[in-house]
Amino acid sequence: MDLRGKRFLVIGGAGLIGSHTVDECIKTEATQIRVYDHFLRGHEENLASALRDPRVEIFPLGSDSLHRDILDAAMKGIDAVFHFAGLWLLHCYDYPRSAFDVNVGGPSTFSKRS
């Protein structure tokens, strides 16, 4: 896939893997890298150097992947989505319905966008 000129949304972009993904997207000729995170496990410090790049922004309106109307707004104009906001394995075991909603239900709507 040619990444030049693309606009990316990184859900969970302030976490360990998400922030490294943002760093890798910066190395491409991407037009925009939008971070969608609630900063409960991820930290803005993980994005400190990335935020110096004018193509990187934190989506200001919200960050919960279950808030589909807000997520829909975050996805406007986006070419590709990286989803790293899944629940941990222990949470999946203890709260299987929530795990399904966050890890599977939310991301499954991405492919339905036009």
Side-chain angles (χ1 to χ4, degrees), residues 48-99:
S49 64
L51 288 170
R52 289 187 212 120
D53 189 306
R55 298 173 296 161
V56 178
E57 67 178 16
I58 296 173
F59 186 72
L61 299 180
S63 60
D64 192 317
S65 61
L66 295 179
H67 296 159
R68 296 193 179 173
D69 54 342
I70 298 172
L71 182 57
D72 189 49
M75 293 181 65
K76 295 264 189 257
I78 295 297
D79 297 304
V81 175
F82 296 95
H83 175 55
F84 301 113
L87 292 181
W88 296 347
L89 183 58
L90 182 58
H91 290 107
C92 295
Y93 179 79
D94 291 337
Y95 307 102
R97 180 61 196 186
S98 294

Side-chain angles (χ1 to χ4, degrees), residues 10 12-23 26 33-37 39 42-53 56-59:
V10 184
L16 177 67
I17 297 171
S19 63
H20 285 291
T21 300
V22 170
D23 292 339
I26 289 171
I33 303 135
R34 184 177 294 160
V35 174
Y36 190 85
D37 203 297
F39 298 101
H43 303 283
E44 194 166 341
E45 298 87 50
N46 292 343
L47 298 167
S49 64
L51 288 170
R52 289 187 212 120
D53 189 306
V56 178
E57 67 178 16
I58 296 173
F59 186 72

